[in-house]
Amino acid sequence: MTAAPQHPDAADAAALPCVRIGLVATSDRASSGAYADEGLPALRQWLGRAVRNPMEFAERLIPDEQPLIERTLIELVDEIGCDLVLTTGGTGPAPRDVTPEATLAVAERVMPGFGEQMRQISLHFVPTAILSRQVGVVRGRALILNLPGRPRAIAETLGGLQGEDGQTIAHGIFAAVPYCLDLIGAARIETDPAVCQAFRPKK
């Protein structure tokens, strides 16, 4: 586990619970050292800006092997106790893209809205977004989400899209993550509204 850099509002965040977040990049070539992985740094950067809680990251860079991905997800949730696990890569239709299969194999509940919204966001840019197979699932008290592999797509998927006038074009999926974690009994996450306005129903 590695501690994340503190959010600028560190004084206020001190009262919030520490959140354990698993970050998993699946790539045959990046895991072999053929090129540098960009997904893990992009996730750390976005979360560092958006989440006000103290965070601990458990990072894994692994090849596209379904049994290994399954074991990694189980380790992060069952053994390390992550509240949230974000994966990047391996969600297309190619034979080696098996991240969704591995994620569904360890799931206790499927949350289809996350995948639907991720594809909706990407469709604003490319028609091939319909080929993406990202899924969101719950295992125990943890939420597992499959994300794209490119840094820009990661930020757009998590944070959403705004027009030049500042109006929301498409909500990012992270706006729903804190309330989902509340409902499944995970750590309470607070976000920086300037980066991501988390939604919780008014009581």
Side-chain angles (χ1 to χ4, degrees):
M1 299 286 291
T2 59
Q6 287 191 317
H7 189 274
D9 297 331
D12 295 334
L16 297 173
C18 183
V19 179
R20 289 184 174 179
I21 301 178
L23 305 178
V24 182
T26 61
S27 169
D28 288 332
R29 290 185 292 170
S31 62
S32 69
Y35 62 77
D37 168 69
E38 296 182 333
L40 295 177
L43 286 171
R44 286 195 307 271
Q45 181 182 40
W46 193 90
L47 291 167
R49 293 190 299 112
V51 176
R52 295 179 55 240
N53 302 58
M55 291 179 286
E56 292 181 351
F57 293 140
E59 300 183 19
R60 303 289 185 270
L61 175 57
I62 58 177
D64 295 294
E65 299 287 351
Q66 183 172 341
L68 177 57
I69 300 171
E70 291 179 22
R71 290 197 301 272
T72 300
L73 296 177
I74 291 172
E75 175 206 5
L76 292 172
V77 174
D78 296 4
E79 299 175 22
I80 295 178
C82 290
D83 302 285
L84 175 66
V85 178
L86 304 178
T87 75
T88 73
T91 60
R96 294 288 292 174
D97 292 333
V98 294
T99 302
E101 283 77 12
T103 303
L104 292 170
V106 305
E108 294 172 1
R109 290 185 174 183
V110 179
M111 306 292 291
F114 284 105
E116 292 165 4
Q117 185 62 9
M118 284 189 263
R119 285 180 283 277
Q120 179 60 38
I121 291 168
S122 296
L123 279 168
H124 282 85
F125 301 100
V126 290
T128 51
I130 60 174
L131 303 180
S132 177
R133 301 183 303 115
Q134 289 112 321
V135 298
V137 307
V138 171
R139 178 182 176 87
R141 295 184 178 182
L143 177 64
I144 305 173
L145 300 173
N146 301 154
L147 295 173
R150 297 186 180 278
R152 179 176 174 178
I154 288 172
E156 291 164 348
T157 298
L158 292 172
L161 307 175
Q162 286 77 39
E164 293 182 0
D165 58 358
Q167 295 298 308
T168 298
I169 297 173
H171 289 286
I173 64 166
F174 206 85
V177 167
Y179 185 52
C180 183
L181 295 181
D182 293 349
L183 293 174
I184 64 176
R188 181 180 177 88
I189 284 183
E190 298 291 349
T191 62
D192 182 342
V195 180
C196 174
Q197 178 68 61
F199 177 82
R200 286 183 169 98
K202 294 181 180 179
K203 296 182 179 179

